[in-house]
Amino acid sequence: MTDRRQAGLDVVAKMLSPEVAKALDGAARSPEFGAFIGELALRNVFSELWTRPGLDLRSRSLVTLSILIALRASDELEVHLLVALRNGLSLSEIEEVIYHASGYAGFPAASVARTTALTVFRKHKLVES
């Protein structure tokens, strides 16, 4: 295993969980349809982007949330809302990202992000129902 790949696995373990890192590590060997997508995420996103110098994980989470909100990528946003909390963002900061996105990505995108965030945060008992 290369040092870059291991660095990517370490980032995944820290931001998501050791179990997710292990699953991504074995993705390329899986016969399951489309399983290689996990390997691509590991190589191209976590090993090459999240480990780069220049931005800390907290800053990368801010950028990632903003992009996912603009794309209305709710499934990925669900994951990255929790990643953002692990990377040091507070609930109120995430709330502000959603508000700010309304001015640049549009109200509908921010509204979808708010709904997604409420669902995730309620599920994990981070906000009241």
Side-chain angles (χ1 to χ4, degrees):
M1 181 180 316
T2 67
D3 289 343
R4 297 286 315 144
R5 192 169 191 285
Q6 185 58 54
L9 287 169
D10 292 345
V11 167
V12 171
K14 178 180 180 180
M15 294 191 320
L16 297 168
S17 73
E19 294 78 22
V20 172
K22 184 177 179 180
L24 282 177
D25 190 30
R29 294 179 290 281
S30 172
E32 183 179 341
F33 176 83
F36 189 66
I37 197 79
E39 182 69 17
L40 291 172
L42 177 61
R43 289 181 192 176
N44 299 328
V45 178
F46 297 106
S47 293
E48 294 300 326
L49 296 177
W50 280 89
T51 62
R52 287 181 55 77
L55 290 176
D56 60 12
L57 294 178
R58 184 180 187 287
S59 298
R60 289 186 191 283
S61 278
L62 280 168
V63 171
T64 302
L65 289 179
S66 300
I67 292 167
L68 294 175
I69 291 167
L71 292 173
R72 295 188 200 176
S74 297
D75 291 343
E76 282 292 309
L77 184 59
E78 285 182 23
V79 173
H80 280 279
L81 288 163
L82 297 174
V83 168
L85 291 170
R86 287 187 191 111
N87 285 340
L89 288 167
S90 68
L91 290 173
S92 63
E93 288 172 318
I94 293 171
E95 188 176 32
E96 287 300 323
V97 170
I98 294 169
Y99 294 153
H100 197 73
S102 72
Y104 293 89
F107 184 82
S111 181
V112 168
R114 177 188 177 269
T115 300
T116 302
L118 275 174
T119 300
V120 169
F121 296 155
R122 284 177 177 153
K123 178 181 175 183
H124 291 277
K125 299 181 180 5
L126 299 170
V127 296
E128 293 181 19
S129 295

